[in-house]
């Protein structure tokens, strides 16, 4: 009788372990694994221990033998009782052993926000869970968890991440959180208080950017940004990519903390207190990385969108976006007049263009997939976006040719 199930793909062998490994069956298990190794060109081995309830010393020796043969070897989905055996015997020090993830349900939970990577639900008054989209890589979720913990210990007000869990067929990340909603949801419910809430947002971003690191805890902003620009699926020509990369190289070197996706849905708020979530894209560098993102969302894009579609794309009207950008500048830069804002806008503008160019393929994909009532707006959206994109690309080339980044903030 076959004890194991195996899968092989792209050089990687996955072994789905049975419920026990002991003296009674270890020889058969060894033979089945060896047969799978012989019949495939294997470069990596993963043992899935989701069904494993007990492993004896002979089973541990079998795992150690596999680890000695393959540098890329790991044991995953290990439940607590078996994990303790691996931990007590120091196997967790000499090979990758990953715990199984407990299951939670978001059924009936209030949805706090939804983004490209996942949906946030409120589990109770103390915790939320971010449920990632289908196929989202576990390594990215682990990175978000570790980035959040690291930022918190360095003084950035972040939601504290706890467990990675399974929510149905998807992975989720549980955070401790104040009894809060996303800032975006709050602002959409209380539109008469936009100035107040965008003030909280701007103050948070300013304080967050005031945190600097003396070591490379996160990727370098310039390198990350240059790689984004070089991506083949973008809208920039090679000449325009070169111009964008030149502008990025002009940015003064810093090691300030940047969130990387500073949208209003990634800040949880209540009673004037805010904490950050979703830190997968965090980098170290000049604050222009976040500020240019905010500029394109609140200023650059609303300026060229027709009034009838601005709220569809940005969630807020043109007047509301103008009010929010003005208040953001007042709090973040200390600028109180239109002339003072213009000074900062001139510095930020080329970088806001770069940020917008990064996401244009996403917007076009959304337009192309529009259905029902929204479909009628697609021609209007393209009529606004396409000439604006061409205009901004020319301005990008001019900025790279003529300018030097001042970025006096």
């Amino acid at each position: 009788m076959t004890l194991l199930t195996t899968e092989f793909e792209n050089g990687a062998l996955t072994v789905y372990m049975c419920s026990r490994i002991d003296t009674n069956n270890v020889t058969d298990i060894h033979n089945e694994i060896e047969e799978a190794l012989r019949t495939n060109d294997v470069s990596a081995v993963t043992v899935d221990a989701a069904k494993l309830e007990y492993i004896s010393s002979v089973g541990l020796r079998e795992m150690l033998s596999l680890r000695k043969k393959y540098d890329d070897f790991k044991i995953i989905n290990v439940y607590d009782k078996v994990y303790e055996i691996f931990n007590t015997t120091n196997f967790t020090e000499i090979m990758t052993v990953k715990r199984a993830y407990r299951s939670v349900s978001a059924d009936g939970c209030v949805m706090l926000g939804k983004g490209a990577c996942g949906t946030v639900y409120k589990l109770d008054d103390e915790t939320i869970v971010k449920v990632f989209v289908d196929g989202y890589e576990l390594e990215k979720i682990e990175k978000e968890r570790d980035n959040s913990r690291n930022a918190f210990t360095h003084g950035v007000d972040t939601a504290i991440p706890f467990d990675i869990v399974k929510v149905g067929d998807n992975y989720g990340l549980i955070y401790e959180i104040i009894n809060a909603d996303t800032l975006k949801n709050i602002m959409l419910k209380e539109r008469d208080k936009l100035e107040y809430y965008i003030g909280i947002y701007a103050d948070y971003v300013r304080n967050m950017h005031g945190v600097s690191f003396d070591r490379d805890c996160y990727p370098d902003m310039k390198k990350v940004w240059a790689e984004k620009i070089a991506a083949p699926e973008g809208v920039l020509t090679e000449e325009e990519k070169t111009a964008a990369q030149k502008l990025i190289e002009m940015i003064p070197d810093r090691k300030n903390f940047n969130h990387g996706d500073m949208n209003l849905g990634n800040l949880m708020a209540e009673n004037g207190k805010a904490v950050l979530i979703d830190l997968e894209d965090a980098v170290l560098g000049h604050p222009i990385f976040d500020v240019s993102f905010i500029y394109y969302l609140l200023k650059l894009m609303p300026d060229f969108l027709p009034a009838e579609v601005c709220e569809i794309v940005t969630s807020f009207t043109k007047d509301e976006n103008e009010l929010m950008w003005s208040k953001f500048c007042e709090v973040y830069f200390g600028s109180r007049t239109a002339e003072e804002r213009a000074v900062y806008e001139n510095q930020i503008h080329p970088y806001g263009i770069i940020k917008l160019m990064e996401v244009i393929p996403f917007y076009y994909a959304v337009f192309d997939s529009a259905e029902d009532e929204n479909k009628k707006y697609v021609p209007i959206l393209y009529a606004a976006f396409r000439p604006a994109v061409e205009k901004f690309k020319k301005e990008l080339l001019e900025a790279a040719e003529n300018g030097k980044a001042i970025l006096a903030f």
Side-chain angles (χ1 to χ4, degrees):
M1 182 180 70
T2 302
L3 295 173
L4 309 177
T5 303
T6 61
E7 289 181 357
F8 179 74
E9 184 178 358
N10 299 326
L13 178 70
T14 301
V15 178
Y16 295 92
M17 192 55 63
C18 55
S19 60
R20 293 177 64 88
I21 314 177
D22 55 31
T23 55
N24 295 319
N25 64 6
V26 70
T27 300
D28 293 333
I29 288 172
H30 172 84
N31 291 338
E32 289 183 28
I33 293 175
E34 286 299 311
E35 177 64 20
L37 295 174
R38 278 195 302 271
T39 55
N40 297 288
D41 184 13
V42 177
S43 58
V45 175
T46 298
V47 173
D48 189 320
K51 294 182 178 179
L52 186 61
E53 299 173 0
Y54 175 76
I55 183 169
S56 70
S57 60
V58 291
L60 293 173
R61 291 190 184 96
E62 184 67 24
M63 297 301 103
L64 185 59
S65 174
L66 287 169
R67 171 63 185 86
K68 289 178 178 178
K69 291 179 182 177
Y70 296 94
D71 290 335
D72 191 350
F73 173 77
K74 57 180 176 286
I75 308 172
I76 63 172
N77 293 330
V78 183
Y79 284 96
D80 289 349
K81 184 177 178 181
V82 176
Y83 187 88
E84 286 307 311
I85 296 173
F86 284 120
N87 192 43
T88 302
T89 54
N90 275 350
F91 270 56
T92 53
E93 301 295 324
I94 59 177
M95 62 181 71
T96 300
V97 182
K98 296 188 176 183
R99 289 181 182 269
Y101 299 109
R102 66 185 177 95
S103 295
V104 302
S105 174
D107 293 345
C109 295
V110 175
M111 186 180 77
L112 299 179
K114 187 173 184 178
C117 298
T119 304
V120 177
Y121 297 92
K122 181 178 177 180
L123 289 179
D124 52 47
D125 286 345
E126 295 182 352
T127 57
I128 60 173
V129 60
K130 180 179 178 181
V131 182
F132 294 87
V133 295
D134 290 343
Y136 201 81
E137 296 176 19
L138 180 58
E139 289 75 12
K140 290 184 178 180
I141 301 171
E142 291 171 337
K143 179 181 178 184
E144 178 174 329
R145 177 198 61 195
D146 296 343
N147 280 354
S148 297
R149 289 173 176 173
N150 197 21
F152 179 80
T153 59
H154 281 78
V156 179
D157 285 330
T158 66
I160 304 172
F162 291 143
D163 300 336
I164 295 174
V165 295
K166 291 298 292 291
V167 186
D169 293 330
N170 298 54
Y171 288 108
L173 183 57
I174 290 182
Y175 287 91
E176 181 185 40
I177 194 71
I178 57 175
N179 186 20
D181 199 351
T182 67
L183 189 61
K184 183 176 182 179
N185 282 348
I186 295 171
M187 292 169 72
L188 289 172
K189 293 172 187 173
E190 302 181 36
R191 299 178 92 125
D192 58 327
K193 298 180 181 178
L194 289 183
E195 273 195 285
Y196 168 72
Y197 288 119
I198 206 69
I200 292 174
Y201 172 77
D203 187 61
Y204 183 95
V205 175
R206 183 186 60 193
N207 290 333
M208 179 187 73
H209 286 161
V211 177
S212 60
F213 287 69
D214 57 3
R215 56 192 177 90
D216 296 327
C217 302
Y218 300 93
D220 175 74
M221 178 266 283
K222 288 187 180 181
K223 182 178 179 181
V224 169
W225 211 353
E227 289 173 352
K228 285 178 179 286
I229 292 303
E233 66 271 15
V235 298
L236 297 179
T237 65
E238 290 304 316
E239 181 185 15
E240 291 157 356
K241 288 180 181 180
T242 299
Q245 289 169 342
K246 179 180 178 182
L247 285 164
I248 291 169
E249 282 304 311
M250 291 178 182
I251 298 171
D253 290 323
R254 301 264 192 91
K255 284 198 174 182
N256 298 82
F257 182 86
N258 281 254
H259 178 265
D261 185 15
M262 202 60 232
N263 70 72
L264 297 169
N266 279 332
L267 209 60
M268 310 292 292
E270 184 189 54
N271 297 328
K273 177 175 173 57
V275 292
L276 197 61
I277 60 172
D278 192 0
L279 272 72
E280 180 197 332
D281 298 319
V283 295
L284 295 184
H286 193 284
I288 187 62
F289 191 70
D290 281 340
V291 172
S292 58
F293 174 85
I294 297 164
Y295 172 79
Y296 112 71
L297 282 178
L298 299 184
K299 173 66 178 174
L300 190 61
M301 193 163 58
D303 274 358
F304 72 77
L305 286 172
E308 65 264 38
V309 294
C310 185
E311 192 168 357
I312 293 173
V313 178
T314 70
S315 299
F316 297 95
T317 67
K318 291 176 76 72
D319 288 344
E320 287 171 335
N321 277 291
E322 182 178 352
L323 173 71
M324 290 190 292
W325 174 247
S326 176
K327 184 64 178 180
F328 177 85
C329 290
E330 177 185 330
V331 175
Y332 187 91
F333 298 116
S335 60
R336 300 183 179 277
T337 68
E339 291 76 14
E340 290 171 337
R341 281 201 309 277
V343 171
Y344 290 106
E345 287 175 11
N346 287 336
Q347 295 178 34
I348 300 165
H349 186 72
Y351 298 98
I353 290 173
I354 297 173
K355 281 291 183 185
L356 178 61
M357 294 303 109
E358 289 175 29
V359 295
I360 286 297
F362 166 77
Y363 281 113
Y364 286 174
V366 170
F367 300 161
D368 290 341
S369 63
E371 297 178 354
D372 303 326
E373 183 70 14
N374 288 332
K375 202 170 185 67
K376 69 181 182 182
Y377 295 110
V378 173
I380 302 171
L381 289 165
Y382 272 121
F385 265 79
R386 282 173 172 154
V389 167
E390 293 309 310
K391 171 180 175 288
F392 291 145
K393 288 164 77 171
K394 291 179 182 177
E395 292 176 359
L396 184 66
L397 292 172
E398 292 171 1
E401 181 179 353
N402 301 328
K404 178 180 180 182
I406 300 173
L407 302 179
F409 58 89

